[in-house]
Amino acid sequence: MVDSFSNAGGDKLSASGGPSWARLTGLVQEGFALYGLEGQSLRDFMREALGMSDAYIEGAVSTVFLDYKPVDDLDGAVIRPGCLVSLSAAMPGLVGAVMRRNSPYASFREAISHGGHTEQEEAQKDKRCIVRVKLFNAVMREHGPLLLSQGIMLEPDRIAAAIGTPLPDGYSAEHGAPGLVLLRSLAEHGVPGAAGAFGAPRP
Amino acid sequence: MDTILRINVAANGGPKAKAEPVGAYAGMGGRALTSHMIAREVPPLCHALGPENKIVIAPGLLSGTAAGQSGRLSIGCKSPLTGGIKEANAGGQAAQVLARLGYAAVVLEGEAADDQLYLVYINKDGVKIESAAAYKGLGNYELIDRIKERFGDKVACISIGPAGEYRMAAASIACTDMEMHPTRHAGRGGVGAVMGSKGIKVIVIDDAGAAMRQPKDPEKFKAANKAWVEGLKKHPVTGGGLPAYGTNVLTNIINEAGGFPTNNFKTGQFKGASKISGESFAATMTERGGQATHGCHRGCVIQCSGIYNDKNGKFLTKQPEYETVWAHGANCGIDDMDTIAMLDRLDDDYGLDTIEMGATVAVAMDAGLLKFGDAAGAIDLIKEVGKGSPLGRIIGNGAALTAKAFGLERAPVVKGQAMPAYDPRAIMGIGVTYATSPMGADHTAGYAIATNILKVGGFVDPLKPEGQIELSRNLQIATAAIDATGMCLFIAFAVLDQPETFQALLDLLNSFHGLSLTGDDVTALGKSILTAERDFNKAAGFTKEMDRLPSYFKREALDPHKVTFTVSDEELDQVFNW
């Protein structure tokens, strides 16, 4: 347990999420860290580090960015130390459709699309590395609680600003990678006391 | 919908209404009707605020029916902002109510005498017109409160605020929503200024005693509507992302792509994006007792609107749209939800286009009038517009005029109209549409629809660079056709991915009107609308040199991808070659 994050029962989360609720979703949107393997394909990272099933990846995670570049080929895009993986469901609007994987409108974003294998440097295979992750919208709502129960790594000052210190009931904190704290929700696959999961409940 | 109501505002003794058969405009609705009527009846070289211009208000072909999502209202005129033809559309109740009363269009024509303002009341028994002098200068919210006191809360209203009365080029026309708030706006191109020039403050539409429009083939229509609604509900965008988070669900994604214009299009990412994202708005709205899932009109299946309450739990505005959050947020360096919601409320109250106003405030910030991120300053600046002060008169006339007034090159406009919330350097295909749309820079001019289902101009290979020219063309054609139906453009996502949902849309049109339209007919309709619009603009003096982005988009690289707009002028000139 990290001393400054010991639980004291303050800032309790109410059934609707309580005062911490919006800020918790903020942490996940702004990004957290997990361990991945250098040289691992993006698809394998989503399976292994994020715990996503193939069906979920294909059916729900329609929009994927690696270092701000829209990705079409999850097998060609490769994890590198410090890279940023951002995941979203299908989005509205022409530009939302443009950003989807293998979109028929992909030419609209040709200048910024991820190039797959061709722009990857030789990676050191299977070496553990830090990967930054952002989850948005339905992916945040549906998958965020599972990840939080497994633990996500964040800077201590961000945790303090978001949900306060000492930690609210239902959370634990441990040392993570250097400079990061591993935050866990103790509720099974969920945020303590929250009615929905990471956002407005689906109607 | 076999009647056109023409109101001559220049008649002796005050405006006079005359109903006439739909005649040459039979079979047209929405944008098809507004654009063909403007092209046919308005001299292209006239002044937009003069007597020769007209305002055409038209429900869509399926408005007033039981078809889901059919509540879109088109408003057309010659634009005081662009100098070309304009169709702006809005949700809310007005299209459904007007269509049930049998009107294919309401047309305001002539020039108002002096500074008189009028109220038009339309119900099943006819039309009454009376002085609206008591409403002069009122914001849309107070105006609608007064209308409610007098006519009850079941009517629908189409109105202007002070900006329309001042005839500002960024003035919008408001339509009331289900709660009778004036929150749904035909925003773009200064249509509110033209309504102001006609001296009409508000049109009150009362469909008490009017029946829903009945299809020619009720059984087929019922089956088509069932398939249509099921298609919308099962799609992850129309049945999931939009109802849960609203259109602002795009903020995180466009920011992540580096195409989220920030600080007057200086960079493509905003540090405070997550604070103003759809996800954060939805959480806050729910905490405050508002609603994150809500329709803007009866019969809405998608429910992408919402209710935004202030910190005290009191209604402030509807859930701000993505474009509003971007315009008043990232583009002005503002990351505070309550400030953005207040600016949205003020825009709706004064009757202003939120995209144009956000872009204009950002131009003013870039020019040094106030600092990026100055939330209080942005609110004060919009209040100047509401007051009609000399500074407000500049701001209220849009980004191009404001940049000129303050000696700034960096005005993100095409044909005088501000660009919406997607940087055309990162997403170049949208830049093609911004440049070439007859409407000026407009994100809805070329929306997502099943290009390769319609096979407009042949199958497009999405991997070919030149695909963005063909795609922009096809999308503009398809969008024009959708705008004629009265359908909300968000149906496009379900139609894009689900051919059976596209077929359900055709079946709705065919069973209601006794037609046998195919995809080719839809394409022909879209082309005819765009051709009429392009011909009008050409006769108004537009040249191909006006189908261009400002040159600094070719010169200044956008972070984080360090890209410029590289589509050549020659390529842009190919968009309308069919």
Side-chain angles (χ1 to χ4, degrees):
Chain A
M1 178 68 66
V2 176
D3 293 343
S4 60
F5 284 94
S6 59
N7 294 77
D11 192 18
K12 291 205 188 316
L13 299 171
S14 72
S16 64
S20 303
W21 183 244
R23 287 168 286 166
L24 246 178
T25 67
L27 283 179
V28 180
Q29 294 172 64
E30 287 161 12
F32 53 88
L34 291 174
Y35 283 116
L37 294 175
E38 201 172 330
Q40 181 178 36
S41 74
L42 191 47
R43 187 185 301 280
D44 283 345
F45 175 77
M46 291 166 73
R47 283 174 179 150
E48 294 163 20
L50 299 179
M52 292 176 171
S53 68
D54 287 346
Y56 189 75
I57 291 169
E58 285 308 311
V61 192
S62 308
T63 313
V64 175
F65 297 91
L66 181 58
D67 292 330
Y68 308 123
K69 296 179 178 179
V71 174
D72 295 301
D73 180 4
L74 295 180
D75 300 304
V78 172
I79 294 297
R80 288 185 297 180
C83 68
L84 172 63
V85 174
S86 310
L87 306 176
S88 161
M91 287 292 99
L94 171 58
V95 181
V98 163
M99 294 300 162
R100 284 190 221 167
R101 283 192 284 130
N102 301 311
S103 166
Y105 310 110
S107 67
F108 270 41
R109 53 158 161 90
E110 189 196 16
I112 61 169
S113 294
H114 192 277
H117 283 297
T118 53
E119 59 183 56
Q120 300 304 323
E121 297 163 8
E122 276 300 309
Q124 191 174 344
K125 293 282 184 187
D126 299 334
K127 185 182 174 189
R128 195 168 79 155
C129 64
I130 288 287
V131 177
R132 292 179 297 143
V133 179
K134 296 181 182 181
L135 303 183
F136 301 132
N137 49 70
V139 178
M140 173 178 77
R141 186 182 63 218
E142 291 161 1
H143 205 72
L146 173 67
L147 278 180
L148 195 57
S149 67
Q150 293 172 349
I152 59 176
M153 291 188 284
L154 294 150
E155 294 80 3
D157 56 336
R158 288 179 61 209
I159 298 175
I163 56 176
T165 51
L167 285 176
D169 284 344
Y171 291 94
S172 73
E174 300 166 27
H175 288 295
L180 298 174
V181 167
L182 182 69
L183 179 71
R184 275 202 184 96
S185 151
L186 301 177
E188 188 178 355
H189 300 339
V191 178
F198 281 90
R202 185 171 173 164
Chain B
M1 290 211 325
D2 53 4
T3 304
I4 289 177
L5 182 68
R6 291 185 184 267
I7 299 174
N8 176 11
V9 301
N12 285 334
K16 296 283 186 300
K18 180 185 166 195
E20 64 181 34
V22 71
Y25 304 108
M28 293 185 196
R31 180 172 165 188
L33 202 161
T34 64
S35 287
H36 280 292
M37 186 177 277
I38 295 298
R40 184 182 171 127
E41 298 187 13
V42 173
L45 290 171
C46 76
H47 194 286
L49 303 179
E52 299 91 350
N53 200 5
K54 301 185 181 194
I55 278 269
V56 183
I57 301 169
L61 287 170
L62 288 167
S63 300
T65 74
Q69 296 303 128
S70 59
R72 213 74 192 166
L73 185 74
S74 286
I75 300 182
C77 60
K78 175 170 176 168
S79 165
L81 186 72
T82 69
I85 199 164
K86 175 55 61 180
E87 186 264 357
N89 60 57
Q93 290 289 102
Q96 303 281 31
V97 174
L98 202 55
R100 276 180 205 142
L101 289 172
Y103 292 109
V106 174
V107 186
L108 309 181
E109 46 197 17
E111 184 172 45
D114 304 325
D115 283 333
Q116 297 298 310
L117 278 177
Y118 291 92
L119 175 153
V120 178
Y121 175 78
I122 306 171
N123 71 357
K124 67 181 175 51
D125 300 321
V127 182
K128 290 178 188 167
I129 301 173
E130 60 181 60
S131 170
Y135 302 139
K136 190 175 174 63
L138 290 187
N140 281 311
Y141 273 95
E142 189 176 347
L143 170 71
I144 299 305
D145 281 346
R146 299 236 201 139
I147 296 292
K148 210 185 300 182
E149 284 170 12
R150 184 167 164 206
F151 295 98
D153 61 1
K154 301 287 188 277
V155 298
C157 295
I158 301 169
S159 64
I160 56 169
E165 291 185 45
Y166 299 143
R167 303 175 191 185
M168 290 170 166
S172 63
I173 293 177
C175 296
T176 48
D177 59 22
M178 288 195 294
E179 288 73 32
M180 220 174 149
H181 292 135
T183 60
R184 321 314 306 188
H185 287 241
R188 309 238 64 193
V191 291
V194 183
M195 186 160 160
S197 76
K198 305 300 179 196
I200 304 297
K201 178 72 175 173
V202 58
I203 301 171
V204 181
I205 319 162
D206 183 352
D207 67 348
M212 188 173 282
R213 295 172 66 206
Q214 293 304 311
K216 287 251 169 71
D217 188 334
E219 287 308 310
K220 279 189 181 168
F221 182 80
K222 192 176 171 187
N225 199 31
K226 185 167 180 277
W228 175 243
V229 170
E230 283 173 0
L232 294 175
K233 284 188 171 173
K234 77 180 180 187
H235 190 274
V237 172
T238 49
L242 276 171
Y245 303 111
T247 57
N248 191 29
V249 69
L250 279 169
T251 280
N252 274 325
I253 304 309
I254 307 304
N255 189 61
E256 211 59 17
F260 197 47
T262 299
N263 293 356
N264 193 28
F265 288 77
K266 283 214 174 71
T267 182
Q269 286 185 323
F270 181 47
K271 198 175 174 188
S274 70
K275 292 182 183 169
I276 57 172
S277 68
E279 293 90 326
S280 297
F281 260 93
T284 297
M285 289 193 299
T286 304
E287 276 180 16
R288 292 181 180 180
Q291 288 182 38
T293 303
H294 194 67
C296 77
H297 67 88
R298 285 193 288 273
C300 171
V301 178
I302 297 176
Q303 304 268 306
C304 71
S305 188
I307 303 286
Y308 189 93
N309 290 343
D310 64 17
K311 286 175 179 167
N312 299 316
K314 188 181 168 198
F315 173 83
L316 179 63
T317 186
K318 88 281 194 187
Q319 178 178 10
E321 301 273 356
Y322 165 65
E323 279 76 19
T324 305
V325 171
W326 159 75
H328 280 308
N331 200 40
C332 294
I334 292 171
D335 64 5
D336 176 61
M337 275 190 272
D338 286 318
T339 297
I340 293 167
M342 176 56 76
L343 289 162
D344 183 63
R345 163 81 183 214
L346 291 173
D347 287 342
D348 284 354
D349 197 33
Y350 300 146
L352 290 163
D353 173 17
T354 58
I355 295 175
E356 195 69 40
M357 278 302 91
T360 306
V361 172
V363 163
M365 288 173 162
D366 209 356
L369 195 63
L370 65 168
K371 290 189 183 332
F372 285 109
D374 182 353
I379 289 173
D380 288 344
L381 205 51
I382 296 297
K383 285 183 175 174
E384 291 296 315
V385 182
K387 284 189 278 191
S389 68
L391 175 59
R393 300 273 179 164
I394 293 172
I395 302 296
N397 276 291
L401 183 85
T402 299
K404 191 176 282 187
F406 289 96
L408 193 72
E409 180 204 1
R410 307 185 79 262
V413 302
V414 177
K415 302 182 179 76
Q417 180 169 286
M419 289 180 195
Y422 315 89
D423 198 295
R425 289 164 287 194
I427 308 141
M428 263 182 256
I430 199 92
V432 174
T433 301
Y434 286 172
T436 59
S437 164
M439 299 293 153
D442 188 336
H443 64 295
T444 64
Y447 229 55
I449 182 109
T451 306
N452 286 333
I453 293 172
L454 290 173
K455 301 207 167 35
V456 185
F459 186 86
V460 171
D461 182 350
L463 301 177
K464 286 164 61 182
E466 60 269 31
Q468 50 202 2
I469 299 298
E470 284 91 341
L471 276 173
S472 177
R473 174 195 304 141
N474 300 347
L475 291 165
Q476 291 192 57
I477 290 168
T479 300
I482 291 281
D483 283 341
T485 66
M487 286 289 181
C488 171
L489 265 181
F490 293 151
I491 65 166
F493 318 120
V495 171
L496 167 71
D497 295 329
Q498 300 164 179
E500 71 277 15
T501 309
F502 174 64
Q503 186 58 49
L505 174 60
L506 286 180
D507 292 345
L508 278 172
L509 285 163
N510 289 335
S511 59
F512 192 87
H513 293 282
L515 303 171
S516 51
L517 291 174
T518 64
D520 288 344
D521 297 317
V522 174
T523 302
L525 173 63
K527 283 183 177 177
S528 82
I529 295 168
L530 283 167
T531 300
E533 292 170 348
R534 295 273 298 178
D535 287 350
F536 182 94
N537 281 356
K538 190 175 176 187
F542 283 35
T543 64
K544 64 180 183 181
E545 284 72 25
M546 296 170 81
D547 287 345
R548 305 286 185 260
L549 299 188
S551 58
Y552 68 87
F553 283 90
K554 293 183 174 180
R555 197 176 65 228
E556 295 181 5
L558 183 77
D559 282 336
H561 298 298
K562 304 199 183 308
V563 283
T564 56
F565 186 75
T566 57
V567 180
S568 71
D569 293 349
E570 291 72 26
E571 287 174 294
L572 291 175
D573 293 339
Q574 298 305 309
V575 170
F576 287 96
N577 279 351
W578 59 59

